[in-house]
Amino acid sequence: MESNKKYWKGLEEYNNTPDFVKNNKNEFAEPLPIEDVLNEAGLSTVTPRRDFLKALGFGLGAVTLAACQTAPVHKSIPYLVKPEEVTPGIPNYYTSSFNGQSILVKTREGRPIKIEPNPNAGQFFRGTDARAQASVLDLYDVSKLKAPALVKDGRVEETTWAKIDSFVKGELAKAQAGGKKIRLVSSTVNSPSTNAVIATFIAKYPATKLVQYDAVSYTGMIQANQNSFGKAVLPKYNFDKADLIVSFGADFLGTWISGEEFTAQYTANRNYKSLENKKMSRHIQFESGMSLTGTNADTRVPVKLSEEGPALIALYNAITGNALPGGTLGNNATADKVIKLVAKELVQAKGKGLVVCGSNDVSTQILVNAINAAIGSYGTTIDLDNPCYLYAGNDAEFSGLVAEMNRGEVGAVLFLNTNPVYDAPNAKAFTDALAKVPAKISFSDRADETATACDAIAINHNYLESWGDANAYEGYYSIVQPTINPVFNSRQAEESLLTWADAPVKDYYQFVRSNWEAKMLPAVGLKWEEVLEKGVVTSAAKPAASYSFTQSLAQVATSIANSSKAFKGGDQIELQVYENVPMRDGKNANNAFLQELPDPVSKVTWDNFVALAPKTAERLKVKEFDVVSVKGSNGYSVDLPVLIQPGQAQGTASIALGYGRTKAGKAGNDVGKNAFPFVSFANGTMQYATNVTITPTGGYYELAQTQTHHSFEGRAVIKEATFAAYLKNAGAGNEKGEHKNYDLWDQYEKPGNNWVMAIDLNACTGCGSCIVACNVENNIPVVGRDEVRRRREMHWIRIDRYYSYETKNGDVTKEKEIAKLEDLDHVSVVHQPMLCQHCDHAPCETVCPVLATVHSSDGLNHMAYNRCVGTRYCANNCPYKVRRFNWFNYWNDSRFDNYLNNEFTQLVLNPDVTTRSRGVMEKCSMCIQRIQGGKLQAKLEKRPLKDGDIKMACQEACSANAIVFGDANDPNSEVSKALRSERIYYVLEEINVKPGIGYMTKIRNTDTTVQA
């Protein structure tokens, strides 16, 4: 079916530009820095002929020396009294919770070094997202304050807790006595114990009110549910129960509400196990900017922001037969046609359909509620009786706070886990109002944008140093426990509040335990120690009721139509600001692992940009990387480089939030530009779309992208088929041609284990969690923007993103087949994880002059780092381009000070994995340390290895279960069963390198089920 498709990674490859041809043919665009090495040794590369052999010998030796630098000697200091629970070399695991998700924290000799999913997490969470994997690095952030501080005239001066307590208590008493209001501004609080602490604080200071404010708001949905059904909550969505999913701008596999949870649900109906049962859900995505969710859709329809509301009205009318005004889509004939088909399918899938929308507009969400009620979603795919508590911010209350501060009514304000000076709509107005408050206290762990506008900073613990709990969903509770003593002189925010409230119990551990023993443990019949061991407690879910929608939609339709008309058209561009997967709202901007994680769609690192459709860029007379000025209707403007993004709706632009921090820390400061000022407050909620004008500045700024690094130059590495073709033939799209194989290698038996991997392209969403998990597990260095731009990123696993569209003869590289620019609006996307394939006939092994890379008896390709001399022959001979060269000693070179090259931050390093030196090649080792650890554990327990004893870091992190690792010699192992699938193929198997990783053909459910 897919023989008429051609795949490419980026427009430079698609257009075969001269720069692309030059860089792609020359894999190592720059030579080895031999001259630098020789000069450092006191020699010169200009050598007399008689010294040729001497120079040649030293040339090789110099590289060898660069690769084998003398390591610094660190003397081991034994325990005087060894802690009972610590055995050197053996990890300890503790349960904790990150953003409401129960996790396991791996510690070595008292140091947290890795986050893993908690197997007890249950139905809500499987795997982890990139933020959770990277969060362990934040514990060792050198940009944090080391002690509480007072702020005077913009200067941050560290002080003692006694002085902080005296100052704050005095200011709170003054505000209370003076009849002033006290406001605690926090991001969503879903911790029962924290809420109990706040209640204790309010009892002491009755003028206090909690104002919950989320930088990216879901107030529109919460208010719509209150209006429609009398329940001011976020629903629990059940994507696993949906046969048909229709999304309007909701990036539910990426950043919308709970991406890792929805990913697990979504892929359960699309992975190889589901397909073997002849079942696959269908997903249609309407959106303006290309999102991670949009890249995974079976059918994706670009729509302008002004067309989203009319499209929903048209869908409602088509489903119900009503005639609400405003459902005209203008010139978007494709969207109009698809909506009519989708409406029929939703009616046929009654009770098994789901419509979601990413808008924060109350009227739009009310209309979505009406659609879901009409197709019977409530009680099946949508559960209002067991709601989600991850977001509870109230935009109106936050707007009211600004008004109260401006009127001088607020005597003291406290900020917990929030930074509105950076991310509030109209942050300048907020900052001006904040200046009128007499006492301002921040619980930030650093002198961030809001903290430096305060009077005192009562620095909070990192979550890995904290006690606490979380209630992500109704009946789902997870525990937070410390995995290390406080690194700095910080104090948990809850303990500070208890201290200032003169509470009888100020120790927060005792407070949390007492709260659980009094309220939660009796209901579930567990002891406190059992809760700490399990990490999560669940109670029986309430029955999910169905809800009918009875309200009139006349006013709703009018409001939606007016919002659509507010987009002016003409020279105006419709701008969408959005969260991207690595940076989200910018809270973790100082995390170098996240900054260097390529955006799943654009593959850009260390920057944000203006995404434009090819046709829109042509109309504006701008090219990729041209710097343009983006000016909003509120007068705010920002200069950013252009990224030409296939799939972007014409007449629209997209800019990622979370960048442009000025006081995040060493890694995050001045990375990208701040797009939060484009957010406006209208109709009671924050709005993330606006009119802008875009004008060229004449500047040029090359983004650090990874998308066309390591190109396969048109070779067939992706195989696709439709679900209809798969039902007729399970091997559809995976037809193999006949050809002879010629072996240059001898065959060897693998009598013990044969470690292999299977990757399901239908399950992989491209989120990148595996990349960060691999970075943390294997001590992979961060190299920074400039090195990424030079094609020197060090990731051992990458997610290749391929664009494609239908052509007449399958060759879009020929001039006659170059499509119109409009055709690039309708590209489809495939994500493919690519790592060392551990080939049985590995071409890298045959060219290594020093046998640094060799094959093991259990099927793995090994690297002996202290033997490697850095010739790079192996990388040149690798057809998959998965080997990485250490151009510098990234861990100890000040040029790469992305806060990973100091002794304190290096406490995050995994002691089971060697850090590599300059001049050494490295690549995926299949987490050999985990394989050896699994073997040792089985040996200690005097039993054979079991399937599942060993899991790769990338595999464990994957919410979609797209990666399966195991022993091919065990016919009952999960990987053996997966590799027997008719969908399995091996990338570039025609060159007979016999890779050890099998991929499963991508299946798209593009065939409509509507009956004529």
Side-chain angles (χ1 to χ4, degrees), residues 279-595:
K279 182 181 179 184
M280 182 179 179
S281 64
R282 181 156 142 77
H283 170 204
I284 297 96
Q285 184 86 3
F286 297 86
E287 61 184 8
S288 57
M290 179 77 85
S291 71
L292 179 63
T293 303
T295 64
N296 286 277
D298 297 308
T299 300
R300 181 183 178 274
V301 183
V303 293
K304 296 173 70 172
L305 298 164
S306 58
E307 294 171 341
E308 184 178 287
L312 281 163
I313 293 174
L315 181 61
Y316 175 80
N317 287 342
I319 289 172
T320 62
N322 289 329
L324 285 178
T328 304
L329 285 172
N331 297 325
N332 199 332
T334 301
D336 192 54
K337 178 183 177 182
V338 174
I339 281 172
K340 288 182 172 62
L341 292 172
V342 166
K344 293 178 181 177
E345 290 190 62
L346 285 170
V347 171
Q348 289 188 358
K350 195 173 181 69
K352 294 185 177 181
L354 175 59
V355 178
V356 293
C357 178
S359 172
N360 196 42
D361 178 65
V362 177
S363 295
T364 302
Q365 290 293 347
I366 289 173
L367 182 58
V368 172
N369 289 349
I371 292 171
N372 279 311
I375 61 175
S377 298
Y378 291 98
T380 55
T381 58
I382 303 178
D383 183 353
L384 284 173
D385 299 288
N386 298 280
C388 171
Y389 299 128
L390 291 174
Y391 295 93
N394 189 311
D395 295 350
E397 287 188 356
F398 182 76
S399 180
L401 167 68
V402 178
E404 288 175 338
M405 293 192 299
N406 270 321
R407 294 194 296 266
E409 298 172 2
V410 180
V413 61
L414 301 89
F415 296 99
L416 175 62
N417 195 30
T418 189
N419 188 10
V421 169
Y422 162 70
D423 56 33
N426 198 348
K428 183 180 184 305
F430 177 85
T431 305
D432 292 343
L434 182 63
K436 300 176 183 178
V437 179
K440 304 170 285 291
I441 300 98
S442 170
F443 292 107
S444 176
D445 62 358
R446 70 196 64 222
D448 63 21
E449 292 85 349
T450 300
T452 51
C454 292
D455 305 303
I457 309 175
I459 60 172
N460 197 4
H461 288 340
N462 181 275
Y463 82 99
L464 294 171
E465 305 166 320
S466 303
W467 283 102
D469 48 26
N471 178 203
Y473 283 91
E474 178 68 29
Y476 181 91
Y477 299 89
S478 53
I479 200 75
V480 180
Q481 63 174 318
T483 58
I484 189 173
N485 281 327
V487 175
F488 300 129
N489 185 21
S490 57
R491 185 172 72 187
Q492 196 157 350
E494 289 86 347
E495 191 166 322
S496 293
L497 290 172
L498 291 170
T499 299
W500 302 336
D502 295 322
V505 178
K506 298 181 179 64
D507 181 357
Y508 192 51
Y509 162 70
Q510 290 295 339
F511 190 96
V512 173
R513 180 169 181 170
S514 299
N515 195 45
W516 273 71
E517 289 177 338
K519 297 178 182 178
M520 281 167 274
L521 294 185
V524 294
L526 293 175
K527 296 180 180 178
W528 174 247
E529 290 76 14
E530 292 173 320
V531 171
L532 294 184
E533 183 178 352
K534 190 177 180 183
V536 63
V537 171
T538 58
S539 58
K542 299 175 184 176
S546 61
Y547 290 84
S548 57
F549 187 91
T550 57
Q551 284 81 3
S552 168
L553 290 173
Q555 189 173 348
V556 166
T558 300
S559 175
I560 293 173
N562 289 339
S563 296
S564 297
K565 291 175 184 175
F567 291 99
K568 299 176 182 177
D571 293 334
Q572 295 279 304
I573 301 293
E574 299 178 9
L575 174 69
Q576 170 201 34
V577 290
Y578 68 100
E579 287 184 288
N580 71 0
V581 169
M583 262 315 96
R584 302 294 292 263
D585 61 5
K587 278 190 176 71
N588 304 109
N590 204 48
N591 192 301
F593 280 144
L594 293 177
Q595 289 283 9

Side-chain angles (χ1 to χ4, degrees), residues 857-896:
S857 61
D858 53 3
L860 297 182
N861 175 259
H862 289 328
M863 274 297 303
Y865 297 132
N866 61 351
R867 188 182 291 170
C868 176
V869 298
T871 62
R872 302 183 293 175
Y873 297 159
C874 57
N876 272 320
N877 219 38
C878 173
Y880 304 99
K881 303 308 169 194
V882 288
R883 288 176 167 263
R884 304 288 175 260
F885 181 71
N886 283 270
W887 288 89
F888 298 94
N889 196 12
Y890 296 109
W891 299 105
N892 293 315
D893 194 319
S894 61
R895 287 172 290 186
F896 306 100

Side-chain angles (χ1 to χ4, degrees), residues 719-755:
K719 295 189 178 183
E720 278 192 272
T722 67
F723 185 51
Y726 171 81
L727 291 176
K728 295 176 184 176
N729 172 20
N734 193 21
E735 295 81 7
K736 297 176 174 62
E738 293 294 328
H739 63 277
K740 283 189 175 182
N741 287 330
Y742 299 92
D743 282 356
L744 299 178
W745 295 267
D746 295 329
Q747 297 293 334
Y748 294 97
E749 294 295 324
K750 301 185 182 75
N753 305 114
N754 182 14
W755 301 116

